[in-house]
């Protein structure tokens, strides 16, 4: 039997037992009353999680990358200009998806570990007529949290749509679409929403739906076209089955459970729990003398940590931490790939996971010869949790 490991990567994450149980049952008929009710509840709950009173939640089989394309394919027409607020690997990917659908892309960049300021983005927005601005809320390659709210508000004033890649934030960071004037947010099941991989999710606000209706060019992807999906989601929410493409029924069953748990915990409390776990992690990392990739706490995400390997320690740290019972991830940003590692702390993450993880990283560092005291790391995290 392989030993139990704690999965602390930035998705997939550890899941609640009730969510996993929902996944393991017999598949329901996607047209039957049991599943219709389940899917309807999941969609209504998602609308609340996205904080969008009249937006349309979407749930499609796929991953976060498909969710990004589900937004872009419907909004961009060849020749449209798009601004990308670039904070790392996933912002680059968003730029590539936009270009593939015919957009002319302008990037506003910052040094690794920093986010472009809202002022820099406002200046770029004023320079020409953009169709949309794309923001990676938390770039999972850098652990950088972007200032979504001021950018989205400015964009709304200019009549520019805001599309947020919330794959590493929805369910862990605050991202209320209506309150922040965000038009579209996308995510995936396996991160802070706490459902195994396999679902692409989005919430599309009224202005974005209107932009889709006003298109001149047809949507280039048949599978992604909102026109095919809208009657489906509207139908299930009304309690009527509808068919376009077979939904991943077991994953939707699991999603419905997790959405119910999220709303039961309360969004605000859930975001606050993520913040507290992140603070405890940071206290532990500081005591272990690890330097964070985000240059300041103001731009540091609460759903993961990105940390430089200390002097004399290489990427084999990741395997040594696994020997201590915790699975963490290596770097992802090409420019810094071999120089840092990442620890996810989202979804079901609890105080015990923080202490276990800081302890495992500390022991692995000490065994590799770093001059750190693993007990100090755990004690610092413990003090932060007790505050
Ligand atoms: C994980 C992630 C993606 C990609 O999601 P996949 O499910 O791997 O396709 C996109 N953006 C962000 C911010 C992510 O964290």
């Amino acid at each position: 039997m392989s030993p139990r490991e704690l999965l602390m990567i930035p998705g997939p994450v550890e899941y609640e037992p009730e969510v996993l149980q929902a996944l393991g049952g017999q598949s329901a008929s996607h047209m039957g009353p049991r599943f219709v009710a389940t899917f309807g509840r999941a969609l209504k709950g998602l609308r609340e999680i996205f904080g969008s009173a009249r937006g349309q939640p979407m749930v499609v089989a796929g991953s976060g990358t498909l969710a990004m394309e589900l937004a872009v394919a419907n909004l961009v027409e060849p020749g449209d200009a798009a601004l990308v607020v670039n904070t790392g690997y996933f912002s680059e990917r968003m730029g590539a998806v936009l270009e593939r659908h015919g957009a002319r892309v302008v990037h506003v960049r910052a040094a690794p570990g920093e986010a472009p300021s809202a002022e820099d983005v406002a200046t770029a927005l004023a320079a020409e007529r953009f169709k949309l601005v794309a923001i990676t809320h938390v770039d999972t390659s850098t652990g950088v949290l972007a200032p979504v709210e001021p950018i989205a508000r400015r964009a709304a004033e200019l009549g520019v749509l805001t599309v947020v890649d919330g794959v590493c934030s929805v369910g862990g960071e605050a991202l209320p679409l209506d309150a922040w004037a965000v038009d579209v947010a996308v995510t995936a099941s396996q991160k802070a929403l706490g459902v195994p991989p396999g679902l692409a999710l989005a919430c599309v606000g009224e202005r974005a739906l209107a932009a889709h209706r006003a298109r001149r060019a047809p949507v280039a992807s048949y599978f992604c076209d909102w026109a095919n999906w809208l009657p489906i989601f509207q139908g299930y929410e009304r309690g009527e089955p509808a068919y376009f493409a077979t939904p991943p029924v077991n994953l939707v069953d699991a999603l419905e459970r997790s959405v119910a748990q999220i709303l039961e915990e309360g969004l605000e409390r859930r975001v606050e729990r993520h913040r507290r776990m992140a603070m405890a992690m940071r206290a532990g990392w500081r005591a272990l003398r690890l330097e964070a990739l985000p240059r300041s706490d103001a731009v540091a995400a609460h759903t993961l940590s990105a940390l430089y390997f200390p002097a004399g320690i290489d990427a084999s740290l990741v395997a040594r931490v696994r020997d201590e019972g915790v699975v963490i991830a290596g770097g992802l940003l090409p420019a810094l790939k071999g120089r840092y590692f990442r620890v996810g702390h989202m979804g079901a993450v609890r105080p015990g996971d923080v202490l276990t993880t800081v302890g495992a990283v500390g022991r692995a560092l000490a065994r590799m010869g770093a001059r750190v005291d693993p007990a100090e790391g755990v004690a610092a995290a413990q003090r932060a949790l007790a505050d």
Side-chain angles (χ1 to χ4, degrees), residues 63-65 68 90 93 136 138-140 165 167-168 188 190-191:
S63 79
T65 307
M68 293 160 75
F90 288 107
R93 174 170 294 184
T136 313
V138 170
D139 199 299
T140 321
D165 171 355
V167 179
C168 199
Q190 77 271 21
K191 299 195 184 176

Side-chain angles (χ1 to χ4, degrees), residues 76-94:
V76 165
E77 299 188 49
D80 283 345
L83 188 69
V84 171
V85 180
N86 195 314
T87 48
Y89 179 93
F90 288 107
S91 310
E92 288 293 333
R93 174 170 294 184
M94 183 59 98

Side-chain angles (χ1 to χ4, degrees), residues 131 162 183 187 370:
K131 175 77 165 281
T162 298
D183 295 292
T187 190

Side-chain angles (χ1 to χ4, degrees), residues 162-193:
T162 298
V163 175
V164 175
D165 171 355
V167 179
C168 199
S169 75
V170 173
E173 306 273 3
L175 179 60
L177 268 62
D178 286 350
W180 287 7
V182 171
D183 295 292
V184 181
V186 305
T187 190
S189 48
Q190 77 271 21
K191 299 195 184 176
L193 280 184

Side-chain angles (χ1 to χ4, degrees), residues 120-294:
D120 288 350
V121 178
T123 305
L125 275 173
E128 60 176 297
R129 180 88 192 99
F130 288 103
K131 175 77 165 281
L132 64 85
V133 55
I135 313 169
T136 313
H137 193 190
V138 170
D139 199 299
T140 321
S141 70
T142 54
V144 166
L145 179 72
V148 169
E149 184 181 6
I151 296 172
R153 284 190 186 288
R154 184 77 196 111
E157 284 166 12
L158 295 169
V160 178
L161 296 167
T162 298
V163 175
V164 175
D165 171 355
V167 179
C168 199
S169 75
V170 173
E173 306 273 3
L175 179 60
L177 268 62
D178 286 350
W180 287 7
V182 171
D183 295 292
V184 181
V186 305
T187 190
S189 48
Q190 77 271 21
K191 299 195 184 176
L193 280 184
V195 180
L199 295 177
L201 301 104
C203 190
V204 181
E206 287 180 304
R207 287 201 313 157
L209 289 170
H212 169 257
R213 279 193 301 272
R215 287 179 67 96
R216 296 171 310 271
V219 174
S221 162
Y222 180 74
F223 187 77
C224 283
D225 193 341
W226 292 346
N228 287 326
W229 289 106
L230 286 170
I232 308 305
F233 304 128
Q234 289 160 356
Y236 276 99
E237 278 198 64
R238 279 199 311 271
E240 295 160 16
Y243 172 73
F244 167 56
T246 307
V249 286
N250 294 57
L251 276 165
V252 173
D253 285 343
L255 173 71
E256 189 274 336
R257 282 296 79 211
S258 192
V259 163
Q261 288 181 348
I262 291 169
L263 295 176
E264 200 176 316
E265 180 178 13
L267 262 186
E268 245 171 73
R269 278 173 55 200
R270 188 176 174 90
V271 167
E272 174 58 19
R273 173 168 58 80
H274 279 81
R275 196 192 65 81
R276 274 183 49 236
M277 297 307 122
M279 292 304 161
M281 285 282 189
R282 284 182 208 167
W285 306 141
R286 271 195 302 275
L288 294 174
R289 301 202 201 111
L290 291 167
E291 186 196 338
L293 203 152

Side-chain angles (χ1 to χ4, degrees), residues 328-339:
I328 60 171
L332 186 59
L333 193 71
L336 296 173
K337 201 164 166 45
R339 292 183 46 204

